[in-house]
Amino acid sequence: NAGVTQTPKFQVLKTGQSMTLQCAQDMNHNSMYWYRQDPGMGLRLIYYSASEGTTDKGEVPNGYNVSRLNKREFSLRLESAAPSQTSVYFCASRVFPGPGQETQYFGPGTRLLVL
Amino acid sequence: AQSVSQHNHHVILSEAASLELGCNYSYGGTVNLFWYVQYPGQHLQLLLKYFSGDPLVKGIKGFEAEFIKSKFSFNLRKPSVQWSDTAEYFCAARGGYGGSQGNLIFGKGTKLSVKP
């Protein structure tokens, strides 16, 4: 079980370039999430997918798009990167076996620098 | 709006000192509460969680947290910290019970530095 995996680990982009951050989980979880982490801001939710085939905006969706390709994979796309999108991006998946048993698992993160 | 507040931005302790990190939330109804830890260069890991029942929750690595409903608080404690506890700690909350699709709201985090 690899858990939640993310690629790439690190990326440098120029302003205006596009890229896709990949996330996959092998735990058969229904829900998946994308967060960004900025110093002093904690984690903020960008987009989430409650189940395969559905996606919804989180707190800070502007400048991003997502695709829930299948149950395993949830990608985050930056169409035209901006310096304000310099951040560490975490993907997460959530299991809900029953009341009180929920756990959210995080990937190792992608560190993105936009010049 | 729902929010989670962590009042300490950076806490510096010596080894063996006791730790208490504050967390307050603003939710009107049932709330689920979590503490996550992020060691340097690593991803977030769950320390402990509270859903219902005993308000004193024990987690991994000797951490515990107490849910005080009247104070809207869920403070994290450890009687004696070690250098290896140096990390950033995040409190998170989610309104609703169990199966709702409510999303986690995170606090801004508290950095803990433990001096050997």
Side-chain angles (χ1 to χ4, degrees):
Chain A
N1 249 0
V4 181
T5 57
Q6 291 182 235
T7 55
K9 285 186 168 54
F10 181 72
Q11 183 73 47
V12 179
L13 291 178
K14 293 181 180 176
T15 297
Q17 286 185 316
S18 62
M19 80 161 293
T20 300
L21 283 64
Q22 306 287 354
C23 173
Q25 52 94 7
D26 61 1
M27 297 174 283
N28 203 36
H29 293 171
N30 284 324
S31 302
M32 296 185 74
Y33 304 81
W34 276 106
Y35 295 88
R36 60 178 289 173
Q37 183 183 26
D38 302 291
M41 300 293 290
L43 273 78
R44 292 180 292 170
L45 183 65
I46 305 171
Y47 269 94
Y48 66 100
S49 170
S51 60
E52 185 179 354
T54 69
T55 60
D56 284 288
K57 294 178 181 179
E59 183 186 351
V60 288
N62 290 347
Y64 305 95
N65 284 303
V66 290
S67 295
R68 183 74 184 267
L69 305 168
N70 47 55
K71 194 169 186 180
R72 289 188 63 247
E73 297 170 291
F74 187 39
S75 62
L76 178 73
R77 182 159 179 84
L78 287 70
E79 290 292 350
S80 178
S84 60
Q85 294 178 303
T86 293
S87 187
V88 181
Y89 291 86
F90 287 99
C91 178
S93 69
R94 176 189 177 216
V95 64
F96 177 61
Q101 298 176 32
E102 167 193 342
T103 301
Q104 198 154 303
Y105 293 88
F106 287 82
T110 294
R111 196 170 291 271
L112 177 66
L113 175 62
V114 183
L115 301 174
Chain B
Q2 297 163 342
S3 65
V4 175
S5 299
Q6 293 180 243
H7 308 296
N8 308 105
H9 177 62
H10 191 187
V11 172
I12 302 172
L13 295 173
S14 298
E15 274 194 316
S18 64
L19 169 72
E20 181 160 3
L21 301 182
C23 173
N24 288 93
Y25 63 91
S26 65
Y27 279 85
T30 304
V31 65
N32 306 144
L33 295 159
F34 306 79
W35 274 99
Y36 282 86
V37 61
Q38 185 179 30
Y39 297 103
Q42 296 190 25
H43 60 281
L44 276 75
Q45 302 170 47
L46 181 67
L47 268 181
L48 48 78
K49 58 188 175 184
Y50 171 80
F51 279 71
S52 64
D54 188 344
L56 185 62
V57 180
K58 294 195 184 298
I60 60 172
K61 307 189 181 193
F63 286 92
E64 64 179 31
E66 185 175 12
F67 170 58
I68 303 179
K69 189 174 181 179
S70 60
K71 295 185 178 181
F72 296 89
S73 71
F74 189 57
N75 291 355
L76 181 71
R77 301 195 293 243
K78 187 171 184 178
S80 176
V81 295
Q82 301 172 316
W83 178 79
S84 58
D85 292 323
T86 293
E88 191 159 14
Y89 293 80
F90 293 93
C91 182
R94 183 167 63 77
Y97 178 74
S100 83
Q101 277 301 320
N103 298 311
L104 288 179
I105 306 292
F106 283 85
K108 293 184 177 181
T110 298
K111 283 188 180 172
L112 172 64
S113 299
V114 180
K115 298 183 293 184

